[in-house]
Amino acid sequence: MGAGADRMSIDVLVSEVGPRDGLQSLKAIMPTEAKKAWIRAEADAGVPEIEVGSFVPPKLLPQMADCEELVRYAVTIPGLHVTTLAPNLKGVERAVAAGAHKVSIPVSASETHSQANVRRNHAEMLQEVRRINEMLGELPEERRPVFEAGIATAFGCTMEGPVPEGKVLELAHALVEAGCREVGLSDTTGYANPAQIRRLVRMVRAEIGEEKLTGVHLHNTRGLGLANAMAALEEGITTLDSSLGGIGGCPFAPGASGNIVTEDLVFMLESMGLNTGINLDRLLKVRDVVAEALPGAEMYGFTPEAGLPLGFHPGWGTT
Ligand code: ZN
């Protein structure tokens, strides 16, 4: 895909978030050149979409200070869809200036989490989303990125505990009304289980329309990442976020990985005969690029440990 393969032939879009979500929670700062090599290597392996960074103030997250440069670099890779995170209007403006194809703003379903994270409640976040949409609306179409809101803590919050589903529905509805093209659901805390995923995806799609909820962002904190991914797929979700080597494990829970592992996710999908456009052999080799640039950082994944099964080929598990 990165080499310009056909995006339309993909069954499930695997969106690599390692350079953003993975690195964001690490203390070590990866050099910009190493990030570029990582992005390039994944694109060359066929990864169709990469979230290359976050437009947060560099003072808050020095790891993301090179986001501009990374976007400018990544958009030159043919066929690669370049996404970023931005917490506010200013961040989205920076993303637009750099030429990102898609920007997502995290909006927490838990008001306590929202206050702690961005010091804004729901009403203030919705106001920000409206201002962003106004700004985007004035841009010529070819410069306008897809604008999505990711509902963080949609399946539970480390500060509030369970998050009522009604609250997620209400927020999804309000975000679409405020102008978001799409809404995603994020299991920020790794609390979700497959039954919950199935229920909430179904409810939100019924509320805002199927085409407005196509992606979920899952973590593997409690080992349910792939089970949750399957539940989401069975409800019609077609975009799954993951990170190479599952990097970005929570510093407060040693041994607990963060995002679902891209290599394991791609193995599951490809062996089921679902086309991701990704060459698994090449993807596995990208680990070396990342490991070299992040000495000592933990990398996860069962498939990389065990290796590919003898005679593996896409769809091999379907016959
Ligand atoms: Zn995450």
Side-chain angles (χ1 to χ4, degrees):
M1 272 294 296
D6 183 8
R7 197 179 164 92
M8 299 303 288
S9 68
I10 283 179
D11 296 311
V12 178
L13 192 143
V14 173
S15 183
E16 170 66 50
V17 298
R20 198 277 304 168
D21 204 358
L23 294 183
Q24 180 174 295
S25 48
L26 294 182
K27 269 210 195 90
I29 295 181
M30 193 189 257
T32 305
E33 288 312 308
K35 290 186 189 178
K36 287 182 181 174
W38 177 4
I39 291 165
R40 165 60 75 176
E42 279 213 39
D44 284 348
V47 172
E49 182 173 291
I50 303 181
E51 190 170 65
V52 300
S54 177
F55 283 104
V56 284
K59 259 186 291 175
L60 285 182
L61 270 180
Q63 295 97 321
M64 298 288 125
D66 54 5
C67 191
E68 229 117 32
E69 190 178 340
L70 292 174
V71 171
R72 287 186 200 283
Y73 169 73
V75 294
T76 65
I77 301 174
L80 180 67
H81 204 234
V82 181
T83 81
T84 67
L85 210 79
N88 51 31
L89 175 63
K90 192 149 186 256
V92 177
E93 282 170 344
R94 289 170 65 200
V96 169
H101 300 131
K102 181 174 169 186
V103 188
S104 60
I105 183 169
V107 182
S108 190
S110 149
E111 207 120 16
T112 320
H113 183 265
S114 186
Q115 284 288 2
N117 222 18
V118 289
R119 293 205 202 97
R120 284 199 170 112
N121 62 26
H122 283 171
E124 290 163 328
M125 281 310 285
L126 286 166
Q127 188 53 33
E128 192 74 4
V129 165
R130 276 184 219 105
R131 290 172 61 207
I132 292 167
N133 274 303
E134 247 165 64
M135 182 273 288
L136 293 176
E138 285 164 13
L139 292 174
E141 207 168 320
E142 67 276 10
R143 288 191 55 218
R144 202 182 302 153
V146 173
F147 181 47
E148 179 201 82
I151 301 187
T153 66
F155 301 93
C157 169
T158 47
M159 292 162 175
E160 286 189 9
V163 169
E165 288 170 344
K167 210 172 185 177
V168 179
L169 286 186
E170 213 175 280
L171 184 57
H173 184 85
L175 286 164
V176 167
E177 205 138 80
C180 288
R181 167 114 63 102
E182 281 192 39
V183 166
L185 297 179
S186 294
D187 182 20
T188 318
T189 54
Y191 280 16
N193 66 69
Q196 189 186 11
I197 296 268
R198 199 161 278 151
R199 203 168 53 236
L200 195 58
V201 166
R202 194 176 299 174
M203 287 168 82
V204 173
R205 292 186 113 198
E207 176 77 23
I208 63 173
E210 281 180 10
E211 74 292 348
K212 292 198 168 66
L213 170 60
T214 61
V216 292
H217 176 96
L218 303 169
H219 282 204
N220 196 37
T221 320
R222 291 172 177 78
L224 300 190
L226 289 184
N228 289 338
M230 270 315 298
L233 289 174
E234 284 171 6
E235 285 300 324
I237 290 298
T238 50
T239 298
L240 295 168
D241 290 358
S242 61
S243 101
L244 193 90
I247 62 159
C250 176
F252 307 107
S257 78
N259 296 285
I260 48 178
V261 175
T262 306
E263 301 90 309
D264 289 342
L265 176 65
V266 172
F267 173 66
M268 179 178 85
L269 297 170
E270 288 287 333
S271 56
M272 289 169 72
L274 295 168
N275 183 24
T276 61
I278 299 170
N279 179 312
L280 204 39
D281 278 313
R282 294 182 75 172
L283 181 71
L284 291 171
K285 295 197 178 88
V286 183
R287 282 170 78 92
D288 300 337
V289 177
V290 177
E292 201 180 306
L294 283 176
E298 274 208 78
M299 291 182 81
Y300 306 90
F302 290 100
T303 309
E305 281 287 311
L308 293 177
L310 181 64
F312 174 80
H313 59 84
W316 87 315
T318 58
T319 47

